[in-house]
Structures are given as structure tokens and as C-alpha cells.
Amino acid sequence: AADGRGVLWVGTKAFTLYGWSDGRLRSWTRQDGVGAHTLRSLLAARDGSLWIGGEGPGWVARMRGGRIEALPVPKGADYFRGMVEDAAGDVWVGGTHAGKSVLLRYRGSAMTDESALLAHADHPVTSLATTADGSLWVGFLRDGIARVKQGRALLLTTDQGLADNNVATPMADGRGWIWCAGGADIFKFHVRDIDDLAAGRTAAFQC
């Protein structure tokens, strides 16, 4: 991840986070508050903070001014690997607990468990994205992708026309298309087609 101050952040194994800036490399380790063996996700938020998700154990933290603050997570969480900031400044974090999908929303340091929105998904969250209409897009391992909008989730799989049920790194291009990396390919679909599906105007869509 890269932040607005030009710092390049790299998460690694062995409880270590690196920050590269102005030709200098600095590290943060377990002694500095890194609480997960493997750092799987990093998010540079608009307020200048760095959000960190990890595994071994499942761990979420926020770093401000060089100090790491561990944040609440569900007990026994396995790992967190998807992070995104929405238009309101809330940070969404996706992961897994006992093989099931986990979705958390943070407003500052306060956590709300939104996993019930993903009740129809049985596999871990791989990645998250947002679009200008306020939708949250949640990619899954083997469960396709879900759109969460206005408190409701719509699960999209190959049954409706998705190209692959393994979805990683969904990205919105600003022109209405959502691009995804699948298990063996890259594909896209248009948001208006998902609107039609959600409204019952169609029963399927094309990638």
C-alpha cells in the first residue's frame, strides 16, 4: 500500500511491517505492537492512518503517528485479507472464522460485525471494493461475489452468469464496470446489469 505522504508499506511474515520513504526503510515488529505472524492486507486511509489485517492469529490494527493500535475482532478469527474505505470513512474488513466468511465495519476504533449480511456465503472473503453508488463488493473463495447495498446483500455466482466463483481483487473502473481476477482469467461485468438482476427485471447477466 502507498499513502498520501509517499510512504510505501509492505506487510510480510514473521510479525514485520516495513515502511519505505525518502530512501529509508523502517520496520515495525512484534515489540512495536505487530500482533499477527503474516500481514495479509494493508489500507492507507484518507485520514492518514494505515490499517493492517493479518493471520496467525486473526488481527486488525490501525497505525497513526507510527503507533500501532490493535482493534477488536471476533474471538477465534482465522485471518483478515480484504480492506476498503467507504465514502463515509468507515473501513470494511473481510476475512474468515472457522472457514466461514467474516465482514467487519469499523467507525474509528468501534467495530460492528456485519457478517450476517453474508449468510448465504460459506467460504472466506478474499477482497473488497466500493463503488460510487454506495455499494460494497465482496469477493469470495468459491462463492462468487456479493453486492451489499442499503443493508442487503445479493450473491452473484456462475448460476447467474458470473465467469468464475473464485473472485479476487474486484476493482471499479469509474465507468460502471467491475473487473475481477478469477481462478484462471480476468473478467468484468456492468453494474447496471446487476441493478436489473436485483430489481427482478432479468434472471442472469453476462461477463
Side-chain angles (χ1 to χ4, degrees):
D3 65 22
R5 297 168 297 166
V7 182
L8 177 64
W9 297 97
V10 179
T12 69
K13 296 182 178 181
F15 295 91
T16 305
L17 171 71
Y18 291 102
W20 174 267
S21 178
D22 298 324
R24 297 181 60 186
L25 184 67
R26 181 180 173 185
S27 64
W28 285 259
T29 65
R30 203 167 191 173
Q31 288 72 25
D32 302 302
V34 175
H37 177 271
T38 303
L39 305 183
R40 287 188 170 268
S41 55
L42 300 172
L43 171 69
R46 293 192 298 271
D47 67 359
S49 61
L50 179 73
W51 290 72
I52 313 164
E55 173 184 8
W59 178 74
V60 174
R62 178 177 58 175
M63 185 165 74
R64 296 181 295 179
R67 294 191 176 187
I68 296 173
E69 172 193 8
L71 299 177
V73 298
K75 186 177 180 180
D78 299 318
Y79 64 74
F80 298 99
R81 60 182 297 178
M83 291 183 164
V84 71
E85 183 179 13
D86 67 18
D90 290 353
V91 172
W92 295 79
V93 179
T96 180
H97 177 202
K100 299 290 186 178
S101 54
V102 173
L103 183 65
L104 309 178
R105 177 171 55 86
Y106 290 89
R107 181 163 294 172
S109 59
M111 183 269 286
T112 302
D113 191 336
E114 304 281 10
S115 302
L117 291 169
L118 308 180
H120 297 299
D122 293 325
H123 295 94
V125 174
T126 62
S127 46
L128 302 173
T130 57
T131 44
D133 65 351
S135 295
L136 174 72
W137 300 86
V138 185
F140 298 99
L141 178 68
R142 297 192 294 277
D143 270 332
I145 188 170
R147 184 184 75 169
V148 179
K149 186 176 182 180
Q150 297 176 344
R152 295 185 178 182
L154 175 65
L155 185 63
L156 309 170
T157 69
T158 53
D159 291 339
Q160 289 84 32
L162 196 67
D164 194 324
N165 280 338
N166 291 299
V167 175
T169 60
M171 296 182 66
D173 65 7
R175 296 177 293 176
W177 293 96
I178 304 294
W179 292 78
C180 302
D185 51 12
I186 296 173
F187 58 92
K188 67 177 180 177
F189 56 85
H190 205 280
V191 172
R192 68 168 174 263
D193 294 332
I194 309 307
D195 289 338
D196 288 341
L197 187 69
R201 292 187 290 268
T202 59
F205 65 99
Q206 283 189 323
C207 289

